[in-house]
């Protein structure tokens, strides 16, 4: 429940700054649902790939 | 109910506001309601925080034209455990409420007297002041709007009532507030336009702002809500790589994630930043959204902060309630 609130906060945060909140996902899966877990992750990885590189990844090196 | 007062002491009554603040402070000290009065005192052209323990020294108390210091945080850092009467602006009082929720100060030992901004001509307000929705400190024990020759005062607790009675003030004729608050309404509306810009623009804007950062920790140190003894952003915690300027943008996003649910829009972060990054703008912008989602008004509501609590009814919902905006 705490995670759910933080998840909603995080999505609002990403959108406010200008990043795509679709990069973050919360799903409730039990430990015994191995197949569903694997499937969910596979699908999500594909969705992330389609969204392209994370804007935070682009790093500029400043000259001193 | 609001009533109008001035001091019975002739010398005091000649002070701005009819000496009401001074009379109330004096009464608090003489009655032993607090060990000291913590407020703003005038220092030539500027104001500085002052802890006054001597009833004679209260004449130095003044009302600052802007939130110069975060008094609540200073009480936590320097006056913890002592019985203090804070004479602060609404943002100071709201910070007291939030810090009390985080066990950073004991609300029973902190008596709050709010100095309302609604009576002040907003000559050089900070950007965050323009966005403020709390010109009156109705969450304080006693709130005071300071006029030229008298003050309007309203009590909100037994403690506040007792203090007002003890001050032994004389009733004064009502006066009209200067109305500076309404005049800045247009400027205030202009502060909320950034959210409408499209996502790419917003990202470019904020990243260019974060790139100015010199990692001085001024924002973190000044924020009343940053109360962690071991801060996640400190060097050596492994989150933000050291030895890199500008720091990883995660620095700001992390602080934002930790504080946004309760951001008071006090503006101390922005005031502290040597690189003039409009931090309060971002934090307050996110906070307004979260306030709608969680239904939480920091510094006013007595509920615990949203990110460390949940409602029983939420257990029935397992889908995200946030609809992504394009």
């Amino acid at each position: 429940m705490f995670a759910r609130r933080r998840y909603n906060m995080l999505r609002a945060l990403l959108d406010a700054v200008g990043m795509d909140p679709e990069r973050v996902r919360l799903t409730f899966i039990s430990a015994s649902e191995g197949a569903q877990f694997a499937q969910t992750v596979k699908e999500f990885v594909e969705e992330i790939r389609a969204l392209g590189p994370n804007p935070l990844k682009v790093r500029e090196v400043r000259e001193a | 109910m609001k009533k109008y007062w001035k001091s019975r002491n002739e010398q005091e009554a000649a002070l701005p506001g009819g000496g009401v603040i001074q009379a109330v402070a004096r009464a608090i000290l003489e009655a032993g309601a607090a060990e000291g009065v913590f407020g703003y005192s005038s220092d030539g052209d500027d104001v500085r925080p002052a802890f006054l323990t001597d009833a004679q020294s209260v004449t130095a108390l003044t009302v600052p034209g802007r939130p110069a210091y975060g008094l609540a945080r200073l009480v936590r850092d320097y006056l913890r455990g002592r019985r203090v009467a804070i004479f602060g602006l609404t943002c100071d009082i709201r910070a007291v409420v939030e810090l009390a929720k985080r066990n950073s100060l004991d609300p029973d030992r902190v008596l709050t007297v709010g100095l309302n901004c609604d009576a002040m001509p907003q000559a050089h307000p900070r950007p965050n002041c323009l966005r403020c929705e709390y010109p009156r400190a109705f969450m304080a024990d006693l709130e005071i709007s300071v006029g030229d020759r008298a003050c309007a005062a309203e009590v909100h607790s037994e403690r506040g009532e007792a203090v007002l009675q003890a001050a032994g003030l004389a009733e004064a004729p009502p006066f009209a507030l200067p109305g500076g608050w309404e005049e800045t309404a247009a400027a205030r509306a202009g502060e909320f336009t950034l959210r409408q810009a499209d996502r790419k623009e917003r990202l470019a804007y904020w990243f260019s702002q974060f790139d100015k950062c010199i990692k001085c920790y001024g924002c973190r140190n000044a924020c009343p809500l940053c109360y962690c003894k071991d801060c996640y952003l400190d060097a050596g915690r492994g989150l933000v790589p050291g030895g890199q300027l500008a720091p990883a943008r995660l620095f700001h996003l992390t602080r934002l994630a930790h504080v946004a649910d309760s951001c008071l829009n006090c503006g101390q972060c922005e005031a502290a930043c040597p690189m003039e990054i409009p931090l309060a703008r971002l934090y307050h912008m996110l906070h307004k959204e979260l306030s709608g989602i969680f239904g939480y008004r920091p510094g006013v509501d007595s509920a615990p902060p949203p990110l460390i609590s949940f409602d029983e009814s939420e257990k029935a919902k397992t889908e995200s309630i946030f609809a992504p905006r394009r």
Side-chain angles (χ1 to χ4, degrees):
Chain A
M1 288 301 112
F2 296 111
R4 190 171 162 275
R5 280 201 170 193
R6 284 170 194 267
Y7 169 70
N8 287 319
M9 186 275 290
L10 184 61
R11 289 187 68 136
L13 188 154
L14 291 176
D15 192 44
V17 176
M19 292 195 280
D20 194 340
E22 289 299 309
R23 290 184 180 275
V24 180
R25 195 67 61 80
L26 175 71
T27 308
F28 294 88
I29 301 181
S30 155
S32 51
E33 296 178 273
Q36 189 174 340
F37 176 77
Q39 186 59 27
T40 306
V41 173
K42 278 197 193 124
E43 281 172 15
F44 193 46
V45 168
E46 284 314 308
E47 285 181 39
I48 295 278
R49 214 165 260 151
L51 287 173
N54 190 316
L56 276 180
K57 219 174 178 181
V58 178
R59 222 176 270 230
E60 293 163 26
V61 177
R62 240 191 225 182
E63 298 298 319
Chain B
M1 199 196 43
K2 193 158 64 165
K3 293 179 85 170
Y4 298 84
W5 308 97
K6 61 178 188 215
S7 174
R8 284 189 196 278
N9 176 305
E10 263 195 56
Q11 265 183 333
E12 230 171 34
L15 292 169
V20 168
I21 293 181
Q22 288 78 11
V24 170
R26 201 164 30 78
I28 289 172
L29 292 174
E30 281 169 356
E35 290 170 43
V37 163
F38 190 51
Y40 297 96
S41 77
S42 178
D43 194 8
D45 287 329
D46 210 343
V47 290
R48 59 179 174 81
F51 185 54
L52 308 167
T53 48
D54 178 357
Q56 306 304 317
S57 58
V58 298
T59 40
L61 271 181
T62 187
V63 182
R66 53 181 169 71
Y69 296 91
L71 293 185
R73 177 185 64 87
L74 295 174
V75 169
R76 174 193 67 200
D77 290 342
Y78 299 107
L79 297 169
R80 197 192 295 232
R82 302 183 70 171
R83 285 180 308 119
V84 172
I86 286 191
F87 278 58
L89 300 173
T90 311
C91 39
D92 294 316
I93 308 301
R94 290 170 64 221
V96 168
V97 172
E98 285 301 303
L99 284 183
K101 286 182 197 170
R102 290 160 171 79
N103 296 325
S104 286
L105 38 90
D106 183 354
D108 293 333
R109 284 169 183 264
V110 178
L111 194 156
T112 51
V113 177
L115 309 174
N116 294 339
C117 288
D118 63 351
M120 287 196 270
Q122 295 280 305
H124 299 287
R126 291 216 183 111
N128 65 286
C129 298
L130 285 175
R131 293 188 302 266
C132 184
E133 290 154 327
Y134 301 104
R136 290 181 45 226
F138 55 85
M139 69 296 301
D141 290 310
L142 171 67
E143 58 162 304
I144 299 179
S145 297
V146 178
D148 277 334
R149 289 269 159 269
C151 288
E154 200 167 332
V155 299
H156 295 288
S157 71
E158 282 177 24
R159 275 198 312 193
E161 177 68 46
V163 158
L164 191 61
Q165 292 302 320
L169 300 165
E171 286 197 38
F175 59 90
L177 297 174
W181 195 255
E182 287 75 37
E183 279 156 21
T184 53
R188 230 176 302 142
E191 277 291 311
F192 292 103
T193 53
L194 180 61
R195 194 64 182 85
Q196 279 88 48
D198 92 326
R199 200 178 271 161
K200 261 198 153 139
E201 268 183 62
R202 285 205 301 275
L203 189 67
Y205 175 76
W206 288 117
F207 275 12
S208 70
Q209 292 296 331
F210 295 162
D211 286 346
K212 287 158 47 174
C213 175
I214 58 171
K215 208 176 171 188
C216 69
Y217 290 102
C219 53
R220 195 270 318 259
N221 292 342
C223 177
L225 299 170
C226 275
Y227 67 105
C228 296
K229 289 195 187 115
D230 295 316
C231 177
Y232 206 26
L233 301 173
D234 278 337
R237 288 301 296 268
L239 179 71
V240 180
Q244 179 188 330
L245 277 189
R249 288 145 179 174
L250 212 48
F251 181 98
H252 296 278
L253 297 177
T254 303
R255 218 180 79 76
L256 182 58
H258 288 180
V259 152
D261 68 325
S262 302
C263 176
L264 300 164
N265 190 31
C266 70
Q268 296 301 321
C269 52
E270 214 168 275
C273 179
M275 305 309 289
E276 296 183 344
I277 302 172
L279 296 165
R281 204 168 186 206
L282 175 61
Y283 286 57
H284 189 221
M285 181 170 80
L286 178 60
H287 171 72
K288 281 195 77 67
E289 279 188 50
L290 297 181
S291 187
I293 293 174
F294 294 130
Y296 178 70
R297 295 176 304 165
V300 173
D301 292 340
S302 53
L307 289 185
I308 58 173
S309 58
F310 65 88
D311 189 64
E312 284 300 314
S313 67
E314 287 176 50
K315 283 184 178 170
K317 306 178 195 163
T318 51
E319 295 307 314
S320 166
I321 59 172
F322 177 78
R325 217 177 297 201
R326 285 290 153 224

